Amino acid sequence: MSESPLPIPVARTVAQVRETVHAWRAGGERVALVPTMGALHAGHISLITLARTQAERVVASVFVNPTQFGPNEDFAAYPRDEAGDAAKLAEAGCDLMFAPTVEEVYPAGAATIVHVSGVSEPLDGAARPGHFDGVATVVSKLFNMVGPDVAVFGEKDYQQLQVIRRFTADLNLPVEIVGAPTLRAEDGLALSSRNAYLTAAERAVAPALQQTLRRAAERLRAGDRVDEVETEALGTLRAAGFGPVDYVEARGAGDLARLGPGPLGGEPARLLAAARLGRTRLIDNLAV
Ligand code: PAF
């Protein structure tokens, strides 16, 4: 473990995190991992709180993963606050912060990516080419580096959660995946590190994303046609000031497959949306 003035033990290398986790597991303790990119807010802390109900020990990784950002995305500008993150993790009862360097995660010569077909292809997969390859690669590496029994991810990134469930099953990784409900501000806006980019005027408009999904979910539950509900939701978002809207769609809840245009059948569905407000891209989703 590295000597650190931070209020929580910090591992910087794979060897350090493994040593600690192996010692815990040798003592019969279950270990939970909460992968994050830092800039922690109450939504992340709710993941730590949930993780503490799943295991005796909780590791939070803080790593802004370059491979999941496109060339024109906000990797360089992504908010970073290691001291603040460490304080929040310590207060939340997290046992270890794993904060590796880019070189530790991707040593020179690294040439392997994890690509998930199907569920990673539509929606954010189409809007952000390569994004889910980066997510699947880094999360599978984190699983192998840390060796947790269970890992907790927010439902806010619903497609990401389904991608992670898919490759964990496909690669027989011995990690239980737990999804955590989205934490929202009082006005309904889903908490996100990227909300920090919103101007005051944009922040006032932002809850319309969640309100639009709620209205769409009500209509779908009432038996309205999927195509009509999606068209109305798109118009509502544009009228509220969002643009461009990457998608607002109802999909199968498990595999995110496209649904027929008519009223929903009996199968579980999920509404998902991604739209830009100024320079900020917001995503949200809702169970139908
Ligand atoms: O959801 C995130 O913060 C990231 O995509 C994750 C899962 C930590 C992988 O970098």
Side-chain angles (χ1 to χ4, degrees):
M1 207 83 55
S2 64
E3 288 303 316
S4 144
L6 298 173
I8 180 170
V10 180
R12 301 273 178 202
T13 66
V14 176
Q16 287 167 352
V17 74
R18 280 193 179 150
E19 190 186 333
T20 304
V21 169
H22 284 172
W24 287 337
R25 297 185 82 179
E29 293 180 311
R30 216 170 120 85
V31 179
L33 172 66
V34 180
T36 82
M37 297 208 299
L40 302 181
H41 50 67
H44 296 110
I45 301 309
S46 74
L47 304 184
I48 303 287
T49 305
L50 179 57
R52 290 183 66 195
T53 69
Q54 305 288 312
E56 283 82 24
R57 298 287 186 171
V58 177
V59 180
S61 60
V62 174
F63 178 66
V64 185
N65 173 36
T67 65
Q68 68 187 78
F69 290 80
N72 299 319
E73 294 187 349
D74 57 345
F75 173 66
Y78 196 83
R80 290 165 171 85
D81 175 17
E82 187 175 276
D85 291 342
K88 287 173 194 157
L89 290 174
E91 198 188 333
C94 180
D95 297 284
L96 178 68
M97 178 163 102
F98 177 40
T101 60
V102 172
E103 294 70 32
E104 182 73 7
V105 176
Y106 298 108
T112 303
I113 58 167
V114 177
H115 175 77
V116 181
S117 314
V119 69
S120 78
E121 286 163 3
L123 308 171
D124 265 18
R128 303 179 68 190
H131 170 67
F132 286 122
D133 286 356
V135 170
T137 301
V138 80
V139 173
S140 52
K141 284 169 76 70
L142 287 168
F143 286 176
N144 285 324
M145 290 170 173
V146 176
D149 300 284
V150 54
V152 180
F153 297 87
E155 285 183 352
K156 152 101 181 2
D157 295 296
Y158 187 80
Q159 187 175 12
Q160 167 174 284
L161 177 60
Q162 300 312 110
V163 168
I164 290 167
R165 288 192 194 284
R166 185 73 266 159
F167 76 70
T168 302
D170 290 351
L171 298 177
N172 303 95
L173 301 179
V175 184
E176 183 191 339
I177 306 299
V178 173
T182 302
L183 219 67
R184 299 183 179 279
E186 265 182 25
D187 59 12
L189 178 65
L191 298 192
S192 162
S193 305
R194 290 193 169 97
N195 293 352
Y197 300 151
L198 295 169
T199 64
E202 290 162 357
R203 177 63 188 79
V205 171
L209 186 58
Q210 161 70 356
Q211 288 152 10
T212 304
L213 292 180
R214 278 196 187 287
R215 153 108 183 125
E218 277 161 21
R219 285 195 62 189
L220 289 174
R221 284 186 206 114
D224 289 354
R225 291 178 59 85
V226 168
D227 53 1
E228 288 173 8
V229 170
E230 289 176 344
T231 303
E232 180 190 73
L234 180 62
T236 307
L237 289 177
R238 285 188 179 142
F242 287 88
V245 177
D246 285 342
Y247 56 83
V248 51
E249 290 180 17
R251 293 258 170 175
D255 57 5
L256 299 182
R258 199 84 186 87
L259 300 173
L264 287 183
E267 72 284 8
R270 197 94 187 176
L271 273 160
L272 303 104
R276 216 165 261 280
L277 208 45
R279 70 185 183 108
T280 311
R281 185 173 183 274
L282 298 177
I283 61 172
D284 205 345
N285 68 87
L286 207 60
V288 180

